[in-house]
Amino acid sequence: MRLIERLTRHKSVEQLQAELGQRRDLRRVLGVWQLTGIGLGGIIGVGIFVLAGQQAAVNAGPAVAIAFLIAGIASAAAALCYAEFAGLIPVTGSAYTYGYAVLGEGVAWLIGWDLLLEYALIVAAVASGWAGYLQALLEAAGMPLPVWAQGALGTGEGRVFNVVAAFVALAVAGLLTLRTEWGARLNTAVVAIKIVGVALVIGVGAFYIDPANWQPFVPERVVDAGGVGHYGWHGVVAAASVVFFAVFGYDTLTTAAEEAKNPQRDLPRAILLSLGISMALYLTISLVLTGVAHYSTLDNDAPVARAFGDLGLTWVSVAISVTAVTGIISVVFAFMLAAARIWFSLARDGLLPAWFAKVHPRYGTPYRPTLMLGVLTALAAGLLPLGELAKLVNIGALSAFVVICGAILVLRYRQPELPRAFRTPWVPFVPLIGIAFSLWLLSFLPWTTWERFLIWMGVGLVVYFGYGIRHSRLARGDERPPQS
């Protein structure tokens, strides 16, 4: 078989749908609201508590709400494409599986390898950031950790290992290993607390809005002493390119497709519900935040809590901090679950050793990749500074969006007759918007990020040509669902 034929070999959508009915690997325990909770857990995090205020102060002023709207339209284009695939191919693996079905094994491997890095780094980065919030609360309570345990090397004198960050990564991995539904229930409860916290901000803040703080809504463009421009419509677009990374995360729930009770009905609903609820909260809190405080005062690490503290509402400020600390756990949960399912799918298809595709005989979870991820992300969160962890995250998500939107265009052309539980509207315009916006944002990423991404992709190609291309189920001619 020629190389190009190996790289483009794929299973048909009909084959994947037929296999789905025969598989008994994972337990179907998740309903629409638990799936929505996973999506909300992945989306609502640092963006709503930090990015909204910081981007208002630096780039957009009160028009940060418009920046979220622009980013939301772009993210919605990709979400609609995800929703069509989720209803059509409700198989664990998300963008990797969709790419395998439409674009072939070579592209699928690259996007799966890419997502594995992205999701694992998000877990490590969020665990590291969460540790900072918790340590601040411990210090306020007079119970600081020993200096050596407060952070990674290079983050402060005497620091050696971020114990709290490592612990939370291991704890979430342990929870996901036991029973998916236990973790999902806890996640749903945490997401509910997070939404209550956001509702508190909106409800109380509405009584303290000063419309004068919204004037002008789009501040006049200025250039600082360093030659960097701020505000104006250019600043609004710049803010949109930043806050875009706060409005994805719904893709995590599609990795749990084979654990959904009714995936073809519930996955598209959960995708659209999680993005819709998140966008409503982002837009509202942006307007409230810039209404209760002048945008120029919001450039700090906790702009929402600080704004209410400045109003003398200390109890609200404390409630927001506690909500942020609690809520960030759901982000770790969502992306740890997603990373483990991607790893499991790669192994089940033969692109990684089948040892990783075994589910726990009692709990029915992909425990081997989950525990491996727990250890690896704990080490990364404990040993590496937060800034180093965060640099590669964005490029992975945008690359996946390009693949998904492109795959919708190909599949609509190749098999327009397929019965679809959900259809992306206004094709080809919606997928093209998603592709164009993602490519535009990719162009803003610094060369160092591209360099490290290309190194990771190079390692992935070595693994694929050294192992996966010969051991994949399609290479062996094995069309049966693997037994666990």
Side-chain angles (χ1 to χ4, degrees), residues 404-419:
I404 289 301
C405 294
I408 283 291
L409 292 173
V410 172
L411 194 61
R412 283 291 188 92
Y413 174 77
R414 187 187 292 166
Q415 292 181 278
E417 77 289 349
L418 280 175

Side-chain angles (χ1 to χ4, degrees), residues 194-206 308 315-317 319-320 323:
K194 187 158 48 175
I195 291 176
V196 168
V198 175
L200 176 68
V201 171
I202 294 168
V204 175
F308 281 87
W315 67 275
V316 178
S317 181
I320 292 167
T323 299

Side-chain angles (χ1 to χ4, degrees), residues 156-407:
E157 186 177 352
R159 292 184 174 186
V160 177
F161 190 81
N162 193 329
V163 171
V164 174
F167 172 77
V168 73
L170 289 171
V172 171
L175 183 62
L176 282 168
T177 297
L178 294 177
R179 284 189 183 273
T180 302
E181 66 267 34
W182 291 356
R185 288 168 188 163
L186 176 62
N187 179 71
T188 302
V190 169
V191 168
I193 292 170
K194 187 158 48 175
I195 291 176
V196 168
V198 175
L200 176 68
V201 171
I202 294 168
V204 175
F207 293 97
Y208 291 86
I209 290 175
D210 181 359
N213 288 327
W214 289 334
Q215 302 298 327
F217 197 72
V218 181
E220 186 177 349
R221 181 78 172 166
V222 298
V223 178
D224 63 23
V228 178
H230 305 273
Y231 312 124
W233 284 106
H234 198 83
V236 173
V237 176
S241 72
V242 176
V243 302
F244 176 80
F245 306 119
V247 294
F248 72 84
Y250 50 78
D251 52 317
T252 57
L253 70 89
T254 64
T255 64
E258 290 175 41
E259 291 154 282
K261 295 176 182 176
N262 190 340
Q264 290 181 304
R265 182 196 69 186
D266 292 346
L267 287 173
R269 292 182 180 181
I271 290 170
L272 300 178
L273 273 171
S274 59
L275 182 60
I277 293 170
S278 299
M279 284 308 305
L281 294 175
Y282 274 129
L283 290 172
T284 308
I285 206 167
S286 297
L287 289 170
V288 169
L289 182 59
T290 54
V292 301
H294 194 268
Y295 62 85
S296 61
T297 66
L298 298 175
D299 189 16
N300 57 75
D301 291 337
V304 181
R306 182 76 60 83
F308 281 87
D310 292 344
L311 290 173
L313 300 174
T314 307
W315 67 275
V316 178
S317 181
V318 171
I320 292 167
S321 298
V322 172
T323 299
V325 170
T326 306
I328 287 174
I329 290 291
S330 65
V331 182
V332 178
F333 174 87
F335 284 97
M336 179 80 78
L337 180 145
R341 271 65 183 169
I342 292 289
W343 193 332
F344 173 81
S345 296
L346 290 167
R348 189 170 63 180
D349 289 336
L351 297 173
L352 288 176
W355 186 84
F356 294 111
K358 301 295 183 182
V359 299
H360 195 284
R362 179 178 178 185
Y363 301 124
T365 58
Y367 68 109
R368 289 173 175 172
T370 302
L371 292 175
M372 287 286 290
L373 280 164
V375 172
L376 293 174
T377 55
L379 289 173
L383 293 170
L384 299 176
L386 176 59
E388 293 301 314
L389 292 170
K391 289 177 181 177
L392 279 170
V393 168
N394 300 335
I395 198 168
L398 290 166
S399 300
F401 281 11
V402 172
V403 169
I404 289 301
C405 294

Side-chain angles (χ1 to χ4, degrees), residues 113-134:
W113 188 250
D114 161 38
L115 288 174
L116 190 57
L117 176 69
E118 175 205 339
Y119 292 159
L121 285 178
I122 289 175
V123 169
V126 172
S128 181
W130 181 85
Y133 279 109
L134 184 61

